[in-house]
């Protein structure tokens, strides 16, 4: 079973050194979305104006397969170019 690593970037990077065995890339994608939601639920202060939160998923070869990114914009914000 392949191993996937879920790295957090919340203005500082925290690398997952242990990883998780999952069936395939699709399961890793689903788990990344669930992980991001759970993390934000447990750490609501992360969701503040202008904040960015990202979970990157690496495979066991170290390649980033995908990332789930959350950016907090409030009404009246001008989109970044």
């Amino acid at each position: 079973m392949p191993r996937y690593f879920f790295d957090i970037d919340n203005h500082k990077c925290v690398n997952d050194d242990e990883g998780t065995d999952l069936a395939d890339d699709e399961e890793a994608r689903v788990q990344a979305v669930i992980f991001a939601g759970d993390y934000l639920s447990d750490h609501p202060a992360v969701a503040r104006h202008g904040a960015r939160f990202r979970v990157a998923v690496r495979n066991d070869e170290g390649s980033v397969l995908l990332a789930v990114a959350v950016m907090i914009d409030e009404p009246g914000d001008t989109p970044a170019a």
Side-chain angles (χ1 to χ4, degrees):
M1 202 175 276
R3 184 168 288 268
Y4 296 88
F5 301 83
F6 297 82
D7 301 330
I8 298 171
D9 183 358
N10 178 26
H11 299 288
K12 70 174 187 174
C13 295
V14 178
N15 289 333
D16 175 5
D17 295 327
E18 294 182 29
T20 304
D21 291 331
L22 298 170
D24 54 27
D25 292 357
E26 177 61 17
E27 187 177 353
R29 183 191 66 77
V30 169
Q31 290 304 314
V33 171
I34 291 169
F35 178 79
D38 288 347
Y39 186 91
L40 290 169
S41 180
D42 292 342
H43 302 89
V46 169
R48 63 187 181 285
H49 177 68
R52 290 193 59 216
F53 171 76
R54 183 174 183 259
V55 176
V57 180
R58 291 181 289 120
N59 63 15
D60 55 3
E61 296 172 358
S63 298
V64 174
L65 302 176
L66 63 100
V68 175
V70 176
M71 187 169 72
I72 308 302
D73 286 327
E74 294 181 0
D77 284 349
T78 304

